[in-house]
Amino acid sequence: MSLASEQAGNGIPLVFLHAFPLDRRMWAPQESFAKHYRRIAVDFPGFNESRLTTSSSMETMARGVMKTLDSLGVREKAVFVGLSMGGYVLMQIARVFPDRIRAAAFVSTRSAPDTAEGKQKRLDNIEIVQKQGVKKLVELQLPALLGETTHRERPNVVETVRGIANAQPADAIIGALRGMAERSDMSTVLDGLQCPALFVSGAEDTIIKSSEMEGMAKRVKNSEFHVVEKVGHLLSLERPEALDDLINHFLKRRVL
Ligand code: MLT
């Protein structure tokens, strides 16, 4: 099933895949990419304007992204930018549709599946949403979603994230939590990745440490790895100019 999406601009398709528990609006700071690329951002199933599907597995989401590109008439290979859950989906796109990828940017994400403890936490979070609602979960997640510098110095970013997350329906959140808990190990997908790949991590990210992302980047032949200072997990919102510079330079050097 196609996903709700927005597109602007012309040129090489550049597709933005959002994090959990947000939606495509988290990529508003990256709107200027539409000046040079065909910028596309999607909402995963149940989030924002997308309808919920029976499964919210990472593979279902990946298939939804590709259906959406088909329905938008995107025939050529696209560049994908996936942040955290968006990166999990991007790895599924690389597994199932390797021929559709021109280049991949993995931001604040991991190829490893959940540990037993991580899976249990997802189940606990599902129960929190069912019993206490989405807002309760969002308040519990907010401290880790953003870096300590952002919590101290960028109150508007904290409010943006809170606003987008609180707007999500409980069913979307629960579906995505299940989908993320069921993820399999994608390390071998990284080993086989043939396209240019960018890996970016926030120095203050406590959800996925920079050292883990560096290890992922080393598995990919044609890759580069960068750490952005003074940001945490949602670095595209925390210091958009830093991420945008990295993506722009990567595209100029490796893709155009
Ligand atoms: C995200 O930002 O998408 C989440 O932190 C991913 C996760 O919970 O594993």
Side-chain angles (χ1 to χ4, degrees):
M1 192 181 74
S2 274
L3 303 170
S5 65
E6 64 191 42
Q7 67 163 331
N10 297 299
I12 294 174
L14 178 58
V15 183
F16 289 92
L17 306 174
H18 68 79
F20 173 89
L22 303 176
D23 63 43
R24 70 177 198 258
R25 290 173 294 175
M26 70 167 263
W27 297 111
Q30 280 71 39
E31 266 169 11
S32 62
F33 280 99
K35 283 188 203 145
H36 302 289
Y37 300 94
R38 183 173 178 183
R39 176 194 181 279
I40 297 168
V42 300
D43 291 323
F44 289 133
F47 288 86
N48 194 29
E49 293 182 336
S50 276
R51 274 186 293 143
L52 193 65
T53 44
T54 43
S55 151
S56 291
S57 72
M58 300 301 106
E59 182 178 340
T60 305
M61 292 191 190
R63 290 185 184 280
V65 173
M66 300 322 288
K67 269 228 149 55
T68 309
L69 295 187
D70 289 343
S71 67
L72 293 172
V74 174
R75 300 268 171 266
E76 55 181 311
K77 290 183 176 192
V79 177
F80 293 87
V81 180
L83 194 149
S84 201
M85 182 173 78
Y88 307 158
V89 175
L90 176 48
M91 285 176 227
Q92 286 292 337
I93 294 173
R95 185 179 72 82
V96 185
F97 305 97
D99 298 342
R100 306 281 301 267
I101 306 187
R102 187 185 294 258
F106 297 97
V107 186
S108 312
T109 193
R110 61 162 49 105
S111 53
D114 279 359
T115 58
E117 193 190 339
K119 278 192 178 41
Q120 183 56 49
K121 184 105 188 107
R122 305 264 191 219
L123 297 179
D124 296 345
N125 285 342
I126 288 173
E127 205 176 317
I128 287 170
V129 174
Q130 286 167 335
K131 294 199 172 140
Q132 299 177 69
V134 168
K135 286 189 177 163
K136 177 69 184 175
L137 182 70
V138 171
E139 288 315 308
L140 292 172
Q141 299 239 307
L142 260 179
L145 280 175
L146 297 162
E148 55 174 271
T149 307
T150 298
H151 280 291
R152 206 174 48 242
E153 296 174 8
R154 304 175 186 119
N156 54 329
V157 175
V158 181
E159 280 319 301
T160 298
V161 171
R162 179 180 274 122
I164 297 176
N166 279 343
Q168 308 308 327
D171 287 350
I173 303 262
I174 291 170
L177 284 166
R178 288 210 179 98
M180 289 192 287
E182 288 161 7
R183 295 182 347 266
S184 45
D185 191 350
M186 289 285 121
S187 309
T188 54
V189 173
L190 290 183
D191 294 340
L193 202 65
Q194 299 299 327
C195 64
L198 172 70
F199 290 80
V200 188
S201 169
E204 298 175 2
D205 190 349
T206 55
I207 298 179
I208 300 172
K209 296 264 166 51
S210 299
S211 53
E212 182 171 348
M213 284 208 73
E214 187 172 16
M216 287 165 57
K218 282 189 181 144
R219 300 183 79 120
V220 180
K221 272 193 298 288
N222 199 359
S223 74
E224 53 188 80
F225 169 67
H226 301 269
V227 178
V228 179
E229 298 300 323
K230 296 194 186 315
V231 294
H233 192 61
L234 295 177
L235 66 92
S236 57
L237 284 154
E238 295 178 68
R239 281 190 58 203
E241 73 296 342
L243 179 66
D244 295 3
D245 276 359
L246 287 171
I247 294 176
N248 269 318
H249 285 123
F250 167 74
L251 292 176
K252 279 193 185 122
R253 273 183 288 107
R254 314 289 290 276
V255 176
L256 299 181

